[in-house]
Amino acid sequence: MTSEWGEKSTADLMSTYVSKEAGFGVPKEGWRICLAHEFKEKRKPFQAKDVSLSNVWQHLGLGIRYLKWWYKKTQVEKKAPFIDMFHALPLRQIYGAPLGGIGGGTITRGWRGEFCRWQLNPGMYHYKTVIADQFTVCLRRGGQTVYQQVLSVEHPPTLQGWNWGYCGEYAFYHALYPRAWTVYHLPGQNVTLTCRQISPVIPHDYKDSSLPVAVFVWDIENKNEYALDVSIMFTMLNGSGHKDDTSGGHWNEPFHLEKDGEALSGVLLHHCPTVNPYTLCISAREQADRKVSHQTAFSPRGTCSALWSDLITDGQLDSPSGSSPPTQKGERVAAALAVGCSVPAMGHNSVEFCLAWDMPQITFGSRDRKHVRRYARYFGSKGDASPSLSHYALTHYKEWERRIEEWQKPILQDSSLPSWYKSALFNELYFVADGGTVWTELAEDADVSGGVRSEDGGLPAQPDVIKEYGRFAYLEGQEYRMYNTYDVHFYASFALVMLWPKLALSVQYDIAGTVVQQDLTERLHLMNGKYSPVKTKNVVPHDIGDPDDEPWHRLNAYLIHDTAGWKDLNLKFVLQVYRDFHITQDSQYLRDMWPICQAVMESEIKFDLDGDGLIENSGYADQTYDGWTVTGPSAYCGGLWLASLCMMCKMARLVDSEKSYQYYKDILDRGSAAFDKLLWNGKYYNYDSSGGHHSNSVMSDQCAGHWFLKASAFGEEDYQAFPKEKIQSSLKSIFDLNVMAFAGGQMGAVNGMRPEGVPDRSSVQSDEVWIGVVYGLAATMIHEGMRDEGMRTAEGCYRTVWERLGMAFQTPEAYCEKNIYRSLAYMRPLSIWAMQLALNMTQKDQAPKASTGDSDKVGT
């Protein structure tokens, strides 16, 4: 099932590897790359100059208004804009699997071993490679050091007393998130090191998955005829390379902790800015056959020869007692930890390290409120938990690995699935942790209901699922800084509801509570230059806020369009409510959500302007495709509308409301007929019904509503909104035109394609490929028995992003056929888990469906 071009692409990433060493315990499946690899294609981010002349004219007013707003935001308020169109992230083809669990902050280690992307302050990213953060190996034989090397290919201008420039041709990186392996063959030494990093990202686990820790296990293979003493040294800066590293007042101290018969030692690095202070911790277990030593503090400036000499002398560090003095302004401080062991001739041994960071209480940009992270429920919120976190990680990581392998094994061992898919499925999950993610406790005085109680058609003030499992938020993208952007979460939510369903329900309760809220404050919207309310009642918000402001309390950070009433957001809420109920079978959830669903549907029905049961568009189609002008009913919004009506009918039966059932069924019958009459052209559904020059474009996402019906196990007998033969004809048209007629069929599906086989360039987004949409399209194809076509469609995106463009662990929202990309590290590609759901359902032939019999009624 893997294409020839795919096999060549995979081989290219390892073509510079000269060693034959395969490493210790490295799995077959995953993303693998030689440390000497250089990506040939260097793309640039989308910029104003990339907009066509016709679109420049169309958006001239937007550009002027954005410039004025951007200047005020950055120069007057001294804040970072939620989308910075003037400073898009340049492509750095360096990232590997992030470290840490979910919601406690992340530190990304690049595939060459560098610590290079930091999200410790919630939702705010800092892209800085900290050169002092390294692993170094020391080999000793007969009491003499015979080899000492920083395991880095870098040649930095600082720390020149260290031995840099490891030859990358002798090493490779292998990622299968949440674990990764780096294999180093030491030239001339007959020794191979395998560094395995483990983060506690475990499906259906709501404790360990929240921990801000990572474990590094170093497996050492000695293929000599004599024994060796081997030490690994871990060095870490007190900080993240940010300017506050030199603000002064930071200090380090050694520690020792013994608990439950297990002891560990290490160094605490106390980082003390005025906002969101934290403690980094490097540690190792003390064992009879291991030697743990430390250097409490060293300056990462200059040559730093003393630390190097300290290790080279005897493979150990001096281990001074006592704390370091607080740093002076302008000064940086770092720490080191070394672990040594003996490795027998032709034998193996291992050493372990833990990296932890403890920032239990956080404030967002407004500084209005303090929030407590999820892990503090188990380890306390005083900021002194690093030793306990480290001890827990080092004594539990083997159990984490057992559970991770148990989860991944059925998919990895399925010979019917191609290797690229297995890599994509697990590695795209990085965004659940590294999407600026926050996971917090619900404050005792919090009220998520929006002030409307259950008895009045609202929610409980503190729903059980949020009280027990906390609040969850992740960014639209690392460059698009808005939490829980709902039109994008619609796609990404498959990963959450399949793997952490309680978090998916928590997000839904949070969103439902905002529906009844309103904020009638008038503000300028940059697209049309008009003032309108921030949020109107019975409308789903675009997002729950900007981490540089106050998420959950100030909604709709998105200022480009009027977000007071986007049609697709309400519909996507209804679709997710039923899909989540179908997967979780949580009857209380359905009862709580039913009146909210009724309210948002009523706010949609007003757009049925001619009473034919089909809502219409004017101006812009919806929030997802906000660059395409639409007139009249459209395939995308119209399809979501009909699917929502199907689900309302289903839910009405489940809550035993025959009146509601008849009401929605009548609209559905009329709407289905109108949809077919206005949009079906004999081969596929037209983009819209306007009759304009691009209204018959082939939209890759035209079957989104049908996709959610299939994902919720709606069968052909459940409300004929979309006749099967028309869906399959549409999917065939999309495959033939948007996939195979675009870029040689090797880059996924372009958003819009003209029927004559050229991309639709009527807007700035119509000729883009959206990776997350493509994964959803592939899932739809799989549901409809077009498995080969679905796999081929999705494979193009994976090969392009991960193997050709060097965008591993930063999958963007979009790329064009040539030259540019847009919005690195984006939420939507988590939709690849919809493909897995489709595979699961088709493998069972028919997934179990929620019965509409009396035994399944959930009450009103």
Side-chain angles (χ1 to χ4, degrees):
M1 203 175 235
T2 300
S3 57
E4 290 182 9
W5 55 271
E7 291 173 349
K8 180 179 183 298
S9 182
T10 303
D12 284 347
L13 298 184
M14 286 293 289
S15 63
T16 54
Y17 187 59
V18 298
S19 174
K20 294 182 179 179
E21 294 298 324
F24 188 88
V26 182
K28 173 188 174 184
E29 308 293 358
W31 181 72
R32 183 172 295 192
I33 184 168
C34 177
L35 267 59
H37 183 77
E38 291 288 341
F39 289 97
K40 296 175 183 176
E41 189 167 347
K42 312 289 185 183
R43 290 211 167 192
K44 295 183 177 180
F46 179 85
Q47 300 176 68
K49 67 180 179 61
D50 299 305
V51 181
S52 66
L53 286 176
S54 61
N55 281 309
V56 166
W57 181 253
Q58 181 182 349
H59 297 300
L60 185 60
L62 167 63
I64 294 170
R65 286 185 289 272
Y66 178 83
L67 179 59
K68 290 179 178 178
W69 172 84
W70 180 90
Y71 181 85
K72 180 183 178 185
K73 191 76 174 176
T74 59
Q75 305 303 310
V76 178
E77 299 177 15
K78 303 298 182 183
K79 289 276 193 175
F82 69 95
I83 297 178
D84 195 335
M85 295 181 179
F86 296 113
H87 298 102
L89 282 179
L91 177 60
R92 301 175 70 205
Q93 297 164 315
I94 66 172
Y95 296 115
L99 305 169
I102 299 171
T106 45
I107 300 170
T108 294
R109 189 164 178 248
W111 52 267
R112 289 191 177 99
E114 62 271 66
F115 290 75
C116 52
R117 184 170 67 194
W118 306 77
Q119 189 258 141
L120 299 179
N121 279 318
M124 306 300 289
Y125 275 84
H126 176 60
Y127 302 90
K128 180 72 174 180
T129 297
V130 180
I131 203 66
D133 296 353
Q134 299 291 344
F135 286 101
T136 296
V137 62
C138 173
L139 304 183
R140 293 174 59 78
R141 181 186 179 193
Q144 298 292 320
T145 296
V146 295
Y147 180 89
Q148 188 161 297
Q149 173 73 52
V150 183
L151 295 170
S152 169
V153 299
E154 300 288 340
H155 293 85
T158 59
L159 304 176
Q160 291 181 339
W162 299 8
N163 186 23
W164 296 92
Y166 173 84
C167 183
E169 294 177 352
Y170 289 89
F172 69 85
Y173 177 84
H174 185 96
L176 188 66
Y177 188 76
R179 297 190 293 172
W181 295 254
T182 312
V183 176
Y184 303 90
H185 180 62
L186 305 184
Q189 305 304 312
N190 229 10
V191 171
T192 300
L193 309 175
T194 302
C195 176
R196 182 171 84 257
Q197 72 178 49
I198 306 120
S199 294
V201 178
I202 306 163
H204 305 285
D205 179 286
Y206 300 92
K207 177 189 174 183
D208 291 7
S209 290
S210 72
L211 303 184
V213 297
V215 172
F216 299 94
V217 178
W218 287 83
D219 285 293
I220 307 158
E221 296 175 275
N222 177 16
K223 299 186 178 179
N224 292 294
E225 298 292 338
Y226 47 82
L228 287 169
D229 292 323
V230 181
S231 296
I232 304 289
M233 179 174 71
F234 186 11
T235 51
M236 197 81 188
L237 178 74
N238 186 329
S240 62
H242 191 268
K243 62 183 180 181
D244 69 16
D245 292 356
T246 58
S247 61
H250 312 311
W251 58 286
N252 301 345
E253 63 171 326
F255 79 95
H256 172 85
L257 175 64
E258 189 163 350
K259 182 181 178 181
D260 300 329
E262 293 279 359
L264 75 157
S265 294
V267 182
L268 301 173
L269 297 84
H270 300 293
H271 197 75
C272 307
T274 55
V275 177
N276 293 338
Y278 60 90
T279 297
L280 290 166
C281 176
I282 53 176
S283 63
R285 271 202 291 183
E286 292 188 352
Q287 297 169 284
D289 54 352
R290 304 286 189 278
K291 298 175 182 177
V292 181
S293 57
H294 70 269
Q295 182 55 257
T296 306
F298 69 90
S299 172
R301 290 181 176 175
T303 62
C304 202
S305 298
L307 181 70
W308 190 260
S309 298
D310 187 8
L311 183 67
I312 212 170
T313 300
D314 58 3
Q316 300 180 57
L317 301 175
D318 283 347
S319 300
S321 60
S323 304
S324 69
T327 56
Q328 300 298 308
K329 192 169 184 178
E331 183 183 15
R332 290 185 174 90
V333 67
L337 186 72
V339 184
C341 67
S342 294
V343 188
M346 306 303 292
H348 161 269
N349 211 337
S350 63
V351 299
E352 308 160 345
F353 293 88
C354 179
L355 172 64
W357 51 99
D358 185 24
M359 185 195 288
Q361 297 189 46
I362 54 174
T363 60
F364 293 105
S366 73
R367 314 287 182 249
D368 286 353
R369 294 172 172 82
K370 278 196 173 184
H371 303 263
V372 177
R373 295 199 198 257
R374 168 72 175 182
Y375 77 88
R377 171 179 289 208
Y378 309 104
F379 288 89
S381 59
K382 296 179 180 179
D384 59 358
S386 288
S388 296
L389 282 164
S390 302
H391 188 281
Y392 188 87
L394 286 168
T395 55
H396 285 78
Y397 80 85
K398 291 180 181 178
E399 173 64 13
W400 296 344
E401 290 196 279
R402 185 194 65 77
R403 293 165 66 190
I404 290 167
E405 289 169 1
E406 186 179 73
W407 157 48
Q408 295 182 338
K409 185 177 179 180
I411 294 169
L412 298 179
Q413 292 188 345
D414 186 342
S415 60
S416 72
L417 297 174
S419 291
W420 70 262
Y421 172 77
K422 297 170 184 177
S423 172
L425 184 70
F426 293 114
N427 284 325
E428 289 289 10
L429 265 182
Y430 83 95
F431 197 85
V432 170
D434 202 18
T437 312
V438 289
W439 185 359
T440 65
E441 293 290 271
L442 183 65
E444 290 184 5
D445 61 349
D447 181 351
V448 306
S449 72
V452 180
R453 295 287 183 267
S454 303
E455 56 270 21
D456 299 317
L459 299 172
Q462 296 201 341
D464 289 343
V465 71
I466 301 186
K467 279 199 295 186
E468 178 59 30
Y469 297 100
R471 303 182 101 167
F472 178 87
Y474 56 163
L475 297 175
E476 179 176 336
Q478 291 181 12
E479 291 192 83
Y480 285 14
R481 212 182 55 242
M482 295 159 282
Y483 272 131
N484 292 354
T485 299
Y486 201 70
D487 64 295
V488 184
H489 173 69
F490 174 74
Y491 297 82
S493 60
F494 281 88
L496 279 187
V497 77
M498 291 174 68
L499 302 174
W500 294 276
K502 300 300 185 183
L503 295 184
L505 299 189
S506 175
V507 170
Q508 285 291 89
Y509 273 101
D510 259 331
I511 292 294
T514 69
V515 167
V516 299
Q517 298 178 35
Q518 61 181 10
D519 181 352
L520 300 181
T521 306
E522 296 274 319
R523 69 174 180 183
L524 177 69
H525 289 94
L526 302 178
M527 178 61 77
N528 58 18
K530 296 179 180 178
Y531 284 84
S532 59
V534 171
K535 167 78 170 64
T536 54
K537 192 173 181 179
N538 292 338
V539 169
V540 171
H542 171 272
D543 58 83
I544 64 162
D546 177 353
D548 204 28
D549 188 14
E550 191 58 50
W552 289 300
H553 295 276
R554 280 189 282 279
L555 309 174
N556 282 340
Y558 189 67
L559 287 168
I560 304 298
H561 294 297
D562 175 2
T563 52
W566 282 101
K567 301 173 186 64
D568 69 324
L569 297 175
N570 283 355
L571 304 178
K572 288 172 176 175
F573 177 79
V574 172
L575 294 173
Q576 287 185 74
V577 165
Y578 183 78
R579 182 212 53 191
D580 294 350
F581 166 72
H582 168 71
I583 290 174
T584 66
Q585 292 294 294
D586 188 326
S587 297
Q588 182 61 51
Y589 167 72
L590 186 63
R591 284 195 297 271
D592 288 341
M593 294 297 155
W594 171 245
I596 310 294
C597 289
Q598 288 179 296
V600 299
M601 288 297 283
E602 283 306 302
S603 71
E604 294 294 301
I605 288 172
K606 65 185 179 185
F607 294 108
D608 178 11
L609 302 180
D610 53 12
D612 63 358
L614 194 61
I615 60 172
E616 300 186 21
N617 302 278
S618 59
Y620 288 89
D622 52 73
Q623 184 49 53
T624 296
Y625 296 94
D626 62 7
W628 291 19
T629 304
V630 176
T631 304
S634 68
Y636 185 73
C637 262
L640 296 177
W641 168 246
L642 294 182
S644 297
L645 289 168
C646 289
M647 291 190 175
M648 291 301 287
C649 289
K650 195 86 160 183
M651 287 189 283
R653 283 279 169 86
L654 287 168
V655 300
D656 200 18
S657 177
E658 185 64 22
K659 182 179 179 181
S660 295
Y661 170 80
Q662 293 297 338
Y663 174 68
Y664 293 116
K665 184 66 166 60
D666 174 64
I667 301 172
L668 173 62
D669 290 343
R670 289 184 286 116
S672 297
F675 185 80
D676 197 70
K677 177 182 178 182
L678 292 169
L679 294 165
W680 180 250
N681 66 16
K683 291 185 176 180
Y684 57 89
Y685 293 103
N686 284 336
Y687 173 63
D688 70 14
S689 58
S690 67
H693 68 282
H694 70 279
S695 69
N696 64 339
S697 287
V698 187
M699 186 183 192
S700 65
D701 208 11
Q702 64 184 266
C703 299
H706 177 75
W707 165 38
F708 257 68
L709 291 179
K710 296 299 288 187
S712 304
F714 274 66
E716 292 178 47
E717 73 282 1
D718 290 314
Y719 318 109
Q720 279 289 317
F722 310 101
K724 185 176 182 67
E725 66 277 8
K726 294 182 178 179
I727 288 293
Q728 294 191 334
S729 176
S730 296
L731 292 173
K732 184 179 186 304
S733 297
I734 294 166
F735 184 73
D736 291 343
L737 289 167
N738 301 58
V739 180
M740 298 308 295
F742 175 73
Q746 296 186 8
M747 292 183 74
V750 68
N751 274 343
M753 186 66 104
R754 299 293 301 138
E756 59 269 25
V758 296
D760 183 327
R761 294 191 168 87
S762 62
S763 82
V764 293
Q765 297 179 346
S766 54
D767 66 343
E768 292 181 332
V769 175
W770 290 6
I771 296 90
V773 166
V774 172
Y775 289 152
L777 168 62
T780 313
M781 291 176 171
I782 293 168
H783 280 300
E784 287 299 327
M786 300 170 63
R787 176 168 166 158
D788 288 349
E789 292 89 339
M791 284 294 180
R792 174 64 187 256
T793 298
E795 182 180 1
C797 285
Y798 175 80
R799 301 290 186 191
T800 300
V801 169
W802 288 78
E803 298 182 345
R804 178 178 143 199
L805 302 184
M807 294 176 174
F809 298 101
Q810 54 180 330
T811 304
E813 158 72 321
Y815 56 74
C816 290
E817 184 174 1
K818 297 178 180 178
N819 303 326
I820 62 173
Y821 64 87
R822 185 168 59 80
S823 188
L824 289 171
Y826 200 75
M827 178 200 291
R828 202 187 317 259
L830 285 171
S831 62
I832 193 168
W833 280 86
M835 292 179 65
Q836 187 59 36
L837 179 64
L839 289 166
N840 292 345
M841 294 174 72
T842 55
Q843 285 169 359
K844 294 173 183 176
D845 291 330
Q846 185 175 9
K849 293 190 289 183
S851 168
T852 55
D854 290 340
S855 62
D856 249 1
K857 299 280 176 67
V858 297
T860 55

